[in-house]
Amino acid sequence: MLWLPLVILFSVWCAHAKKDGGPRIEKKVFKTPPTNLLWFDDTDILLVQEREEGLVWRSDDAGVSWDKVTDINEADEVWLHPYDNQKAYALSRSAKQWYTNDRGKTWTEFNLEDGKTPTEFREPLSFHAGDSNKVLINTQRCKGWACEESAAYTIDGFETLDLLRDDTRGCHFARSTPLFKTSEDDEKGNRILCVANGRYSSWPKDNRLLASDDFFKSENEPLLEMDRTVQGIINIAIVKGFLVAAAKAEGTMELALYVTDDAKVWHRAEFPHNSKLEEEAYTILESTNYSIQVDVMTSRATNAMGALFSSNSNGTYFTENIRHTNRDYRGIVDFEKIQNIQGIVLVNIVDNWEEVLKASMATKNVVSRISFDDGRTWERVSAKGEDLHLHSVTEMSNSGRVFSSSAPGLVMGVGNTGKYLKPYNEGDLYISDDAGLTWNLALEQAHKYEFGDQGSVLVAVYDEGIAEGISYSIDHGKTWEKAKLSDPVNAKLLTTTPDSTSLKFILVGTVGSGSRTQYFIYSLDFAGLHERECKDHDFENWYARLDGDGKPSCLMGHKQLYRRRKADADCFVNEEFMDPQPKFEPCSCTERDFECDYNFVRHPEDKKKCIPATTLPKPKGACKKGEKEYRGSSGYRLIPGNGCKGGDNLAKESERPCTDTIKAPANGKVTHTTKTFSAAGFREYYYLERATGSPGEDETVIMRTDAGTVHISRDHGKTWHTIPELEHEHILAIVPHQYINDIVYFLTGGLKVFYTVNRGETFGDFKAPHPPNGDGLPSISFHPDYPDWLIWTGAVHCTSKSDGECHSEASVSEDRGDNWRTMLRYVQKCEFIKKEGRGGSEKLVYCEKYKDEKLKNQLQLLSSDDWFSVPKLRFDDILTFATMSEFIIVAQRDAKQNLKVDASIDGKTFAPAEFPKNFNVPHQRAYTLLDSSTHAVFLHVTVGSRDRFEYGRLMKSNSNGTSYVLSAGGVNRNGAGYVDFEKMQGLEGVAIINVVDNLDEEDAGGPKKLKTKITHNDGAQWALLTAPQQDAEKKNYDCNVSKTDECSLHLHGYTERRDPRATFSSASAVGLMMGVGNVGQHLTSKSDAHTFVTRDGGITWTSVMNGNFMWEYGDQGSIIVIVEDNVATNLAYYSLDEGTTWMKYEFSEKPIMISSITTLPSDNSRNFLLWQKGSGSGGKVSAINLDFSGLRDRKCTVKEDDPDGDDYYLWIPQHPLQGDDCLFGHVTEYHRKRPERECWNDFKIHQLHSIGKNCSCTRQDYECDYNYEVENDKSCMLVLGLLPFDHAQYCKEDPSRISYFEPTGYRRIPLTTCEGGRLLDQQLGEEHPCPGHKEQFDEEHKGLSGFGLFVVAVLLPLVVAGGVGYWVWRNWDGKFGRIRLGETGSAFDANQPWIQYPVAAIAALVAVAAAIPLVLASAWRGVSGLFGGSRRYTTRQSFARGRGDYAVVDPDEDELLGDDDEEDV
């Protein structure tokens, strides 16, 4: 009979619905875990996912019944529209997506472009707060680990979808919140901001912020700081009425925050000087309408604490609210603002913060604090006179807010009374109905809890195990009732409508474990508990904040009150989906209602005073002659949005001194400061350069004397002091972090290691697992992304008392030395492999290890991504390996004991390198890996090794490092393996070498005769340096400079450089190079050298001073300082116009020997240091600061939209023998300061302005292919007896490739971007399909029709022939030359210079590539010179960072394998 179950069901429902029986409870069973439960605002409609099945379920009766959404079967994430309760979106990991406009009743499919999916790197959707049909979707297209991001947009709710922009890193509508208002020029409210790739780079350090009002049909780059754009943008966020952009510069973890309240005018957020924002170390918290709250981590992430800051009303100036906030490693902070009540905040802080700072594994003693005045003052949380401590956001056990809801004044939390917060399962449930002022015990033991009907109903469920029922209260938690569940559950989630106005709740729980786990959703309906609706007498006026006397207090100029139901009223509010509305009563204005006006900041000591932060703008007509005061800002302004009336008016204009508007002028003088030290000499010194985005003005230098004493200067050597923590320690070495400028380590020779992570402001220490090794190996290796990850290579059994065999052991730490884990024993060196742009595991490490842990055995190369729990053998017999900017190179012996090189780009897959077949390299020969910053590897291989007559061949690889061709022969090297090879910084593709010109005299016993050559096309072709017409004294040279073969400029290179920091060029001074040498047929002695400069990338040179001088660049090339080398002197010379004119400056009374001249590695300072050469036997030495800041006081201005209009001009690199501006296949423009302008660069400019159109290909875009060599006429010819490379191999390397061409003798230079023109690698070779792609190949090569064939084969050649004949008739010079592939320009004049010297282009991308040979194979970074290593510095960057880029790998066999300086790419 069917009616019996219905009767039973009805009676059960009645039993549950009646007042005495509690709420109505219904249950739904799910097969897999229900997740992401979403409640459409102001409705009873819910969505929930079963992610494991890809399913979405919908309920339209608050969870009583559920229906499967049949249109969706692969949903990964469901999103509700935050401003339209009709709309939702289901996103998958494929191109297929869905949207609904009727709260999930029906769904419509839409598709992304082929291969694109919603991004997994950030939130995929961005919503417009004013128009719900406008949505952005951030997408990705991934191939392996490499992903390309883009964004699309819809203006009709996904009925159509259009591309917004490629190469993005997250796009957002500016109006992403209702409170954010864009500037007036955003007429349609469509402004969008995107983080995008750099103009010509995909590295994060070059990311830009872009804005558009027309969906990126046009775009602009906002001016973020000092009217300039900022690079390195990593993220943007919209917080209430503020938009925040975070930027990170290279070489630091520190961030700069930029804030706007209209998406047009930006300001940099200023924090107190001792507060540093770092990536993944700050959290933007829930903020107010008039302030941003930020928590900044102040300890290690392993046991994190922070400091809470609040901003002024425009988000630019932050002050500290409270220190030692409790946070976790994820950046989650114990912080919550009480919902809908201004000024009340709950936080947890760490009471034993000093202990936690000292010991990262110390247990935190957490206590709770509450503020009733927006964080100005803090009080203890109290329950019945005892301190109460509550579990907060870091230990969330439920969804949504932790303590509060929209129910006015009602707050609940789990915690305990006593001294400190105890574990969650030892806590009880507490409640407050006066917004946290007083608390009472609600229920014993921990419970999940929720608020309903504006606080009329409170629901709780046991949270320490199996819950048999629920508890509820209808009198603000004073008394509680229970209702039983049909199936006891482990509660996972208790929730209700977002506004807490409903009488309906949802409980999600599980029963059982493992495969027997069941998943339930209970719906709880309390509508039947009361029969009547509340009347006026059931409500009270409740003031949200009370002062110490129990009176209503003021905040933001008003008192706040709510009309809320009395606790004992026997009724329900029953205003479902109607949020409680506050009322406000104005207060009289006081000091707390004002903040500092623009251009003013709080006084550092008296925080109630606002003082000028800079020179104030002078009002029109003010401060006329004789006037001493003007009427202007008092320094205060009323906080925007503040509603106070009457009272104090601190914003009233006042009289100010006219001196506030006057900036002290420059004195026009150079100054110097001398500091003398009691030491025989300086052992080492390093700059800890403040990165572009870091606040402050320090220029920090750390120096160690030969006595082991460490000194630090924060002002570039004007004042020095010792470091208290190190005063009683004998420091044997200073090791700067390879990637982060702020971090440096100090080795004692024992187990104790000191460090600083903030450029010397504070110091810490840790205990190393073993003493530093004595094998000349780097003791510390660094990870590029995680500054606290270290590999320590220490010495084991290496003391006289040890019984075991002395060897090196590698250990790893993930917490800056607090804890160590042994990785491998008997190692040579270990390195982290992960680098920017190189995919794979963050933990991937390569180690050289002696086979079977026996030092007599060969070296093996092992890798691991789990700290060698499971090692993988990569190569069984290697010489060494090197990690470069773009490649990992492994050198090993083959069966014939010849050198064999393998290369990898991703650290996973290696391919063997192919050398020319007639080029066998015995492994006993020296070889040096020089550079890989231009998408190719340069390798120097020794050919001649006679003492004092060493030289070799310079080999260059293709773009994946696997095929090598000869770049230059006879390249000079010295006995230690160092090579005269130097790349020009700032311009890729330009390099200088010295070659041995008398190779035929190798056996005669005479000295080498060197010539200097330069390349402008990355080593494809080389030419002699053109000599200047006269020397610095306007005298002619002894030779004819027009005959370059007999009279050219020659420069002393790296092999003779005493101070390797003195590179020819600087990355910040594009186009400038300096060198010492001579004009003649060959390079002569340094004693005969003069000093030269080039301003056009090495094309023309000028003699600036007779004599051998050291040099340094400052202010990005607007200052050049030189000091005579190896001669006692008291004079320095400086130039302010790129070396055209020179002034002298006397820095001491008596002449002294200067060993080196230094400045910041970026060459962006106006200060320099002269280091006196030590006596070597005690005594005193001096460091002399030269300060050029007083010469000028104006800052240069640059405008990207009018680059030639101010203090800069656009410089286009040109080749002297090429008629157009095309270099490496395109036209490149750089910002350069006009030498005549009397201003400082100050802010680091981005030299690269634009890369224009791509050019047609010419001979200069090609180099000789594998087994081909350059002939005298510059064409490429196959080496006699050798075979060309099999180009079918390209198909194997790239499975997506459709075709390949037979060898022509030419291959494209990796840097070129040319298009069309002379395709020398294709036009002379037959094209073939790749295996498996014949159909595609045939489709792309369909034949022509008969008429088309006639036009192409007959008519067109006749027309072209006629045109060429006419041109020849007009331009013929009387004789026909031979046509060769090496020719450009006139094909009929073999004597034209562009045939004799077809040297191609300067590169496109701005490089900060170090210019010198880089040999890093087993260099001990910063310590090698102390424990058996070799020379220490190679570049300005390596000097600053302590990177010893050269080292001998195997002294017995003289095998050298180097590494480039990744920092300089």
Side-chain angles (χ1 to χ4, degrees):
M1 296 178 64
L2 295 177
W3 55 269
L4 183 59
L6 292 176
V7 172
I8 296 173
L9 179 61
F10 180 76
S11 64
V12 171
W13 179 85
C14 290
H16 280 282
K18 66 181 180 179
K19 181 175 178 179
D20 295 336
R24 175 188 175 187
I25 302 175
E26 298 288 346
K27 180 181 69 175
K28 165 69 177 176
V29 180
F30 289 83
K31 292 182 180 179
T32 61
T35 60
N36 194 27
L37 190 142
L38 302 170
W39 210 307
F40 282 94
D41 196 20
D42 295 342
T43 74
D44 284 334
I45 301 173
L46 295 93
L47 299 175
V48 73
Q49 290 180 251
E50 280 190 280
R51 277 201 179 98
E52 292 182 11
E53 304 291 330
L55 300 178
V56 178
W57 294 81
R58 180 180 184 271
S59 172
D60 59 8
D61 52 10
V64 175
S65 60
W66 292 88
D67 296 310
K68 187 187 299 183
V69 177
T70 57
D71 298 324
I72 302 173
N73 58 8
E74 52 177 306
D76 183 59
E77 194 76 39
V78 176
W79 296 76
L80 298 183
H81 197 295
Y83 312 117
D84 188 335
N85 67 357
Q86 299 284 336
K87 292 180 167 62
Y89 311 90
L91 305 182
S92 74
R93 296 189 179 182
S94 68
K96 188 189 302 182
Q97 322 297 329
W98 298 265
Y99 68 87
T100 177
N101 292 323
D102 55 10
R103 297 172 180 159
K105 190 173 183 180
T106 62
W107 294 81
T108 303
E109 181 182 320
F110 69 96
N111 288 275
L112 304 178
E113 289 182 22
D114 247 2
K116 290 185 178 181
T117 61
T119 182
E120 297 177 29
F121 297 101
R122 62 202 87 255
E123 288 193 356
L125 298 175
S126 174
F127 304 97
H128 194 290
D131 187 343
S132 63
N133 284 321
K134 296 176 181 177
V135 184
L136 305 180
I137 181 165
N138 295 299
T139 63
Q140 65 186 29
R141 177 184 280 125
C142 297
K143 185 177 181 181
W145 54 266
C147 294
E148 297 176 353
E149 290 189 76
S150 60
Y153 73 95
T154 179
I155 58 175
D156 52 20
F158 286 107
E159 290 184 18
T160 61
L161 186 65
D162 297 295
L163 177 68
L164 181 71
R165 195 185 193 281
D166 286 322
D167 299 323
T168 58
R169 294 292 181 269
C171 294
H172 300 263
F173 281 110
R175 289 202 60 199
S176 289
T177 71
L179 293 174
F180 194 91
K181 308 297 182 185
T182 54
S183 56
E184 292 182 358
D185 56 342
D186 181 24
E187 297 177 357
K188 296 182 179 180
N190 288 334
R191 184 161 298 165
I192 296 171
L193 293 108
C194 291
V195 179
N197 286 358
R199 188 176 277 113
Y200 309 107
S201 165
S202 60
W203 302 124
K205 67 180 179 65
D206 298 314
N207 284 355
R208 299 175 296 154
L209 180 64
L210 299 177
S212 176
D213 293 347
D214 56 9
F215 299 100
F216 282 89
K217 295 178 177 64
S218 62
E219 63 186 34
N220 67 84
E221 192 170 355
L223 305 177
L224 300 186
E225 184 170 11
M226 299 171 60
D227 295 326
R228 301 190 182 190
T229 60
V230 173
Q231 292 184 335
I233 305 296
I234 60 173
N235 197 12
I236 53 177
I238 292 87
V239 186
K240 294 289 181 75
F242 306 95
L243 199 156
V244 182
K248 185 173 93 66
E250 192 174 27
T252 183
M253 294 300 292
E254 198 165 358
L255 301 180
L257 291 187
Y258 299 92
V259 183
T260 179
D261 56 10
D262 65 359
K264 184 176 182 180
V265 179
W266 293 77
H267 303 276
R268 177 166 177 163
E270 298 292 338
F271 285 78
H273 76 280
N274 60 346
S275 302
K276 185 168 66 171
L277 271 69
E278 293 187 350
E279 189 174 11
E280 299 182 0
Y282 77 100
T283 305
I284 298 179
L285 302 166
E286 180 189 11
S287 300
T288 67
N289 299 352
Y290 48 85
S291 178
I292 304 174
Q293 272 69 47
V294 176
D295 190 84
V296 179
M297 189 167 69
T298 57
S299 66
R300 301 194 194 182
T302 50
N303 213 3
M305 298 183 295
L308 176 64
F309 295 85
S310 292
S311 78
N312 59 351
S313 65
N314 64 3
T316 59
Y317 182 76
F318 284 78
T319 54
E320 187 176 89
N321 293 126
I322 190 168
R323 293 186 179 185
H324 318 308
T325 53
N326 186 51
R327 53 188 288 141
D328 65 14
Y329 69 95
R330 301 167 296 173
I332 297 175
V333 184
D334 279 348
F335 169 97
E336 183 173 313
K337 301 184 76 66
I338 301 304
Q339 187 173 351
N340 291 338
I341 300 178
Q342 289 182 334
I344 303 182
V345 186
L346 272 166
V347 301
N348 281 344
I349 62 173
V350 179
D351 191 56
N352 61 330
W353 57 270
E354 290 175 307
E355 181 185 354
V356 173
L357 283 176
K358 292 177 182 178
S360 64
M361 302 307 293
T363 300
K364 295 180 188 175
N365 293 335
V366 176
V367 296
S368 295
R369 295 291 183 262
I370 191 168
S371 173
F372 296 95
D373 55 7
D374 245 359
R376 290 183 175 89
T377 61
W378 296 88
E379 303 175 16
R380 299 173 184 270
V381 181
S382 178
K384 301 295 185 182
E386 292 187 89
D387 287 350
L388 175 65
H389 313 290
L390 300 167
H391 291 273
S392 185
V393 188
T394 58
E395 297 180 279
M396 283 188 66
S397 66
N398 207 18
S399 67
R401 307 179 73 85
V402 176
F403 301 116
S404 62
S405 72
S406 61
L410 289 174
V411 187
M412 285 196 285
V414 173
N416 59 270
T417 56
K419 289 185 176 181
Y420 311 115
L421 184 64
K422 297 178 181 178
Y424 182 79
N425 59 8
E426 295 182 27
D428 300 315
L429 180 63
Y430 286 82
I431 188 168
S432 169
D433 68 351
D434 54 12
L437 186 64
T438 61
W439 294 75
N440 293 291
L441 177 66
L443 292 169
E444 292 184 348
Q445 298 180 311
H447 287 70
K448 298 183 190 298
Y449 45 88
E450 259 299 356
F451 308 82
D453 194 46
Q454 301 184 28
S456 300
V457 179
L458 308 179
V459 181
V461 60
Y462 178 66
D463 199 24
E464 295 184 27
I466 298 295
E468 296 186 353
I470 62 168
S471 301
Y472 61 93
S473 172
I474 57 175
D475 57 3
H476 291 190
K478 293 180 174 62
T479 61
W480 293 81
E481 302 291 337
K482 292 184 179 295
K484 192 172 183 180
L485 298 173
S486 59
D487 289 283
V489 295
N490 275 304
K492 301 299 181 183
L493 174 69
L494 178 64
T495 187
T496 184
T497 56
D499 57 11
S500 295
T501 62
S502 175
L503 289 165
K504 299 166 184 176
F505 298 77
I506 291 292
L507 172 64
V508 180
T510 64
V511 174
S513 61
S515 60
R516 295 185 178 182
T517 304
Q518 289 183 297
Y519 307 94
F520 298 130
I521 289 184
Y522 283 100
S523 68
L524 315 174
D525 188 350
F526 289 85
L529 289 183
H530 287 304
E531 295 181 356
R532 73 181 184 90
E533 188 175 303
C534 294
K535 306 299 182 183
D536 284 345
H537 67 272
D538 295 308
F539 292 90
E540 63 181 352
N541 282 336
W542 175 78
Y543 283 90
R545 294 177 305 276
L546 302 177
D547 60 19
D549 298 326
K551 297 180 180 180
S553 61
C554 297
L555 184 70
M556 282 296 288
H558 54 241
K559 303 169 185 175
Q560 185 181 12
L561 62 111
Y562 280 93
R563 176 177 175 268
R564 76 174 187 181
R565 171 186 169 273
K566 296 176 182 177
D568 57 357
D570 188 19
C571 62
F572 282 152
V573 176
N574 204 25
E575 294 177 351
E576 196 171 28
F577 313 133
M578 294 180 62
D579 296 349
Q581 296 300 315
K583 296 180 181 179
F584 299 99
E585 297 177 359
C587 301
S588 296
C589 297
T590 67
E591 178 270 332
R592 302 172 81 176
D593 298 307
F594 296 85
E595 65 182 8
C596 291
D597 202 355
Y598 289 107
N599 295 320
F600 289 82
V601 296
R602 293 286 178 185
H603 191 284
E605 297 176 359
D606 186 354
K607 297 298 183 182
K608 293 185 178 181
K609 291 183 179 180
C610 293
I611 59 176
T614 183
T615 304
L616 299 179
K618 183 168 57 177
K620 187 176 182 179
C623 295
K624 295 179 180 177
K625 188 174 182 179
E627 294 180 346
K628 295 183 179 180
E629 292 185 335
Y630 72 97
R631 193 158 187 82
S633 172
S634 66
Y636 297 89
R637 69 170 184 169
L638 189 68
I639 298 172
N642 191 290
C644 69
K645 304 292 183 183
D648 298 332
N649 183 12
L650 301 186
K652 184 178 180 180
E653 287 190 344
S654 62
E655 298 294 324
R656 303 204 66 87
C658 286
T659 53
D660 284 354
T661 68
I662 302 172
K663 183 178 181 179
N667 58 21
K669 296 180 180 179
V670 181
T671 60
H672 73 273
T673 305
T674 302
K675 172 65 177 178
T676 301
F677 301 88
S678 298
F682 300 112
R683 187 67 181 89
E684 54 186 344
Y685 33 88
Y686 304 94
Y687 284 94
L688 307 185
E689 182 171 1
R690 179 173 43 85
T692 305
S694 301
E697 297 180 352
D698 65 287
E699 294 184 357
T700 302
V701 191
I702 288 183
M703 173 269 293
R704 180 174 69 92
T705 67
D706 61 347
T709 304
V710 177
H711 301 260
I712 186 171
S713 172
R714 308 282 293 176
D715 54 10
H716 210 132
K718 293 177 182 177
T719 59
W720 294 85
H721 63 83
T722 56
I723 300 168
E725 291 84 352
L726 306 183
E727 284 184 351
H728 302 294
E729 302 285 346
H730 185 75
I731 303 301
L732 294 183
I734 302 175
V735 186
H737 197 288
Q738 183 178 351
Y739 304 102
I740 305 299
N741 298 0
D742 307 332
I743 304 176
V744 64
Y745 294 85
F746 303 86
L747 307 190
T748 62
L751 298 182
K752 197 168 188 179
V753 178
F754 293 89
Y755 62 84
T756 175
V757 296
N758 47 24
R759 302 193 302 277
E761 289 187 9
T762 59
F763 290 81
D765 63 82
F766 64 77
K767 183 179 179 182
H770 305 287
N773 70 81
D775 297 332
L777 305 173
S779 278
I780 310 179
S781 296
F782 303 98
H783 195 286
D785 297 332
Y786 298 95
D788 289 346
W789 288 16
L790 307 173
I791 296 176
W792 179 270
T793 305
V796 178
H797 298 314
C798 294
T799 64
S800 58
K801 298 180 181 180
S802 299
D803 296 329
E805 184 178 32
C806 176
H807 65 275
S808 295
E809 182 175 299
S811 306
V812 66
S813 172
E814 297 179 67
D815 51 17
R816 202 189 311 143
D818 286 342
N819 297 279
W820 293 95
R821 171 177 175 172
T822 300
M823 291 198 304
L824 287 175
R825 298 172 177 82
Y826 286 82
V827 299
Q828 182 77 4
K829 71 170 180 179
C830 294
E831 289 188 17
F832 293 106
I833 299 301
K834 172 70 176 179
K835 284 191 179 181
E836 198 172 61
R838 183 185 296 158
S841 170
E842 303 284 355
K843 295 184 177 181
L844 183 60
V845 175
Y846 277 19
C847 281
E848 299 171 354
K849 179 181 179 294
Y850 289 99
K851 187 175 183 179
D852 298 329
E853 297 188 356
K854 295 180 179 179
L855 295 177
K856 65 180 180 180
N857 288 348
Q858 75 266 26
L859 277 177
Q860 297 176 316
L861 182 62
L862 304 179
S863 72
S864 172
D865 57 10
D866 59 5
W867 308 141
F868 289 92
S869 294
V870 182
K872 180 179 180 180
L873 178 64
R874 291 282 182 177
F875 297 94
D876 189 57
D877 187 0
I878 69 166
L879 300 174
T880 190
F881 77 97
T883 56
M884 309 182 71
S885 61
E886 298 174 86
F887 303 96
I888 302 167
I889 305 296
V890 177
Q892 56 178 320
R893 303 175 180 90
D894 64 13
K896 297 181 180 180
Q897 294 297 295
N898 288 325
L899 168 66
K900 184 178 182 296
V901 174
D902 286 75
S904 174
I905 295 175
D906 60 6
K908 296 178 179 179
T909 305
F910 282 84
E914 297 287 343
F915 289 100
K917 296 301 181 183
N918 62 343
F919 188 71
N920 292 324
V921 186
H923 76 271
Q924 290 86 1
R925 293 288 180 89
Y927 55 93
T928 305
L929 193 59
L930 298 170
D931 181 80
S932 77
S933 62
T934 53
H935 314 305
V937 177
F938 280 93
L939 179 70
H940 181 276
V941 182
T942 298
V943 175
S945 56
R946 198 201 81 194
D947 185 37
R948 300 183 183 277
F949 208 96
E950 300 89 355
Y951 66 92
R953 292 183 177 182
L954 183 64
M955 311 299 294
K956 182 189 175 187
S957 79
N958 58 354
S959 60
N960 62 7
T962 59
S963 175
Y964 286 79
V965 297
L966 179 66
S967 176
V971 178
N972 183 53
R973 57 150 282 193
N974 62 14
Y978 301 105
V979 180
D980 277 346
F981 171 93
E982 184 164 325
K983 300 291 282 284
M984 183 178 185
Q985 300 183 59
L987 291 178
E988 286 185 336
V990 181
I992 290 178
I993 59 173
N994 282 337
V995 298
V996 180
D997 192 44
N998 59 330
L999 295 179
D1000 55 345
E1001 301 176 12
E1002 179 179 2
D1003 298 327
K1008 290 184 280 189
K1009 296 178 181 179
L1010 302 180
K1011 285 180 177 286
T1012 300
K1013 291 187 175 183
I1014 190 170
T1015 178
H1016 290 85
N1017 64 345
D1018 207 35
Q1021 295 154 320
W1022 298 86
L1024 296 170
L1025 294 183
T1026 301
Q1029 294 292 325
Q1030 296 178 318
D1031 67 11
E1033 298 176 355
K1034 306 302 181 183
K1035 296 179 181 178
N1036 293 330
Y1037 292 103
D1038 295 335
C1039 57
N1040 185 352
V1041 297
S1042 63
K1043 297 182 179 180
T1044 309
D1045 286 341
E1046 300 174 3
C1047 187
S1048 60
L1049 175 62
H1050 310 288
L1051 301 177
H1052 292 273
Y1054 189 79
T1055 58
E1056 297 181 80
R1057 198 171 289 162
R1058 184 184 71 253
D1059 186 350
R1061 294 161 295 175
T1063 54
F1064 292 139
S1065 59
S1066 166
S1068 68
V1070 176
L1072 294 180
M1073 279 195 288
M1074 292 196 72
V1076 295
N1078 60 276
V1079 173
Q1081 190 170 6
H1082 298 104
L1083 185 65
T1084 58
S1085 170
K1086 260 196 174 183
S1087 60
D1088 301 325
H1090 293 176
T1091 305
F1092 299 85
V1093 67
T1094 176
R1095 304 176 187 91
D1096 53 14
I1099 296 172
T1100 61
W1101 293 79
T1102 303
S1103 177
V1104 297
M1105 201 73 65
N1106 287 353
N1108 178 13
F1109 283 77
M1110 299 175 285
W1111 63 88
E1112 261 295 0
Y1113 306 94
D1115 194 51
Q1116 301 174 60
S1118 66
I1119 311 172
I1120 306 175
V1121 180
I1122 61 175
V1123 179
E1124 195 161 6
D1125 189 12
N1126 211 29
V1127 173
T1129 182
N1130 63 345
L1131 295 177
Y1133 296 84
Y1134 66 93
S1135 173
L1136 303 177
D1137 54 10
E1138 298 183 344
T1140 302
T1141 59
W1142 295 85
M1143 286 72 75
K1144 66 181 177 181
Y1145 178 78
E1146 185 176 302
F1147 57 79
S1148 70
E1149 294 181 0
K1150 297 180 180 179
I1152 59 176
M1153 294 278 285
I1154 300 298
S1155 63
S1156 61
I1157 174 173
T1158 65
T1159 187
L1160 294 181
S1162 67
D1163 296 323
N1164 195 35
S1165 176
R1166 296 190 287 275
N1167 284 263
F1168 300 79
L1169 274 174
L1170 306 179
W1171 302 88
Q1172 183 182 359
K1173 187 174 182 179
S1175 62
S1177 58
K1180 296 181 181 295
V1181 288
S1182 298
I1184 304 168
N1185 168 276
L1186 300 182
D1187 188 352
F1188 292 82
S1189 302
L1191 291 178
R1192 299 167 176 172
D1193 56 10
R1194 186 173 73 85
K1195 298 176 182 178
C1196 302
T1197 58
V1198 59
K1199 295 181 180 179
E1200 288 287 342
D1201 55 350
D1202 184 20
D1204 283 318
D1206 283 302
D1207 296 313
Y1208 297 85
Y1209 69 99
L1210 290 181
W1211 176 64
I1212 301 176
Q1214 294 179 324
H1215 193 284
L1217 304 179
Q1218 192 162 317
D1220 55 24
D1221 296 332
C1222 293
L1223 302 171
F1224 280 116
H1226 44 253
V1227 178
T1228 311
E1229 297 176 319
Y1230 294 89
H1231 289 291
R1232 283 183 61 171
K1233 177 182 166 292
R1234 299 180 188 274
E1236 71 277 8
R1237 295 297 173 92
E1238 294 186 357
C1239 60
W1240 297 125
N1241 286 301
D1242 196 60
F1243 192 88
K1244 189 174 181 180
I1245 64 169
H1246 310 306
Q1247 282 93 352
L1248 180 62
H1249 172 70
S1250 70
I1251 294 178
K1253 64 175 183 178
N1254 284 335
C1255 305
S1256 298
C1257 297
T1258 67
R1259 170 64 179 89
Q1260 282 74 27
D1261 296 298
Y1262 294 87
E1263 60 192 4
C1264 291
D1265 201 354
Y1266 180 74
N1267 280 345
Y1268 286 78
E1269 290 185 347
V1270 180
E1271 295 290 292
N1272 292 332
D1273 61 1
K1274 310 305 179 185
S1275 64
C1276 295
M1277 297 294 291
L1278 186 65
V1279 177
L1280 187 64
L1282 300 184
L1283 296 175
F1285 183 72
D1286 182 7
H1287 284 195
Q1289 182 67 26
Y1290 295 146
C1291 299
K1292 297 179 182 179
E1293 296 174 358
D1294 181 7
S1296 64
R1297 191 182 183 108
I1298 297 173
S1299 65
Y1300 68 93
F1301 287 86
E1302 291 183 359
T1304 65
Y1306 298 86
R1307 69 182 187 189
R1308 285 171 65 98
I1309 294 170
L1311 283 176
T1312 189
T1313 62
C1314 69
E1315 299 173 342
R1318 305 185 67 193
L1319 305 179
L1320 300 184
D1321 59 339
Q1322 299 179 15
Q1323 290 175 341
L1324 300 180
E1326 185 178 349
E1327 188 177 8
H1328 301 279
C1330 285
H1333 292 278
K1334 190 173 188 310
E1335 289 186 9
Q1336 292 171 272
F1337 178 84
D1338 291 341
E1339 181 68 22
E1340 292 182 2
H1341 295 75
K1342 287 183 177 179
L1344 294 172
S1345 65
F1347 177 74
L1349 184 62
F1350 169 77
V1351 171
V1352 173
V1354 180
L1355 183 58
L1356 186 59
L1358 290 176
V1359 174
V1360 172
V1364 170
Y1366 175 75
W1367 186 87
V1368 171
W1369 177 71
R1370 289 291 306 272
N1371 294 279
W1372 181 43
D1373 62 1
K1375 61 181 183 294
F1376 284 96
R1378 293 176 296 170
I1379 302 175
R1380 295 193 180 274
L1381 292 175
E1383 298 171 353
T1384 60
S1386 173
F1388 304 101
D1389 185 358
N1391 295 318
Q1392 290 289 349
W1394 46 84
I1395 293 178
Q1396 297 179 27
Y1397 305 103
V1399 182
I1402 296 175
L1405 301 178
V1406 170
V1408 284
I1412 47 194
L1414 305 169
V1415 183
L1416 181 78
S1418 59
W1420 179 329
R1421 301 188 187 281
V1423 192
S1424 57
L1426 302 168
F1427 297 105
S1430 53
R1431 61 192 293 181
R1432 309 180 51 75
Y1433 311 111
T1434 61
T1435 70
R1436 305 171 195 280
Q1437 283 80 355
S1438 63
F1439 161 68
R1441 311 298 290 281
R1443 303 179 60 176
D1445 290 329
Y1446 267 115
V1448 175
V1449 174
D1450 190 338
D1452 295 330
E1453 296 182 347
D1454 196 27
E1455 297 157 350
L1456 295 175
L1457 181 65
D1459 180 15
D1460 79 330
D1461 189 337
E1462 191 268 350
E1463 188 70 22
D1464 299 324
V1465 176

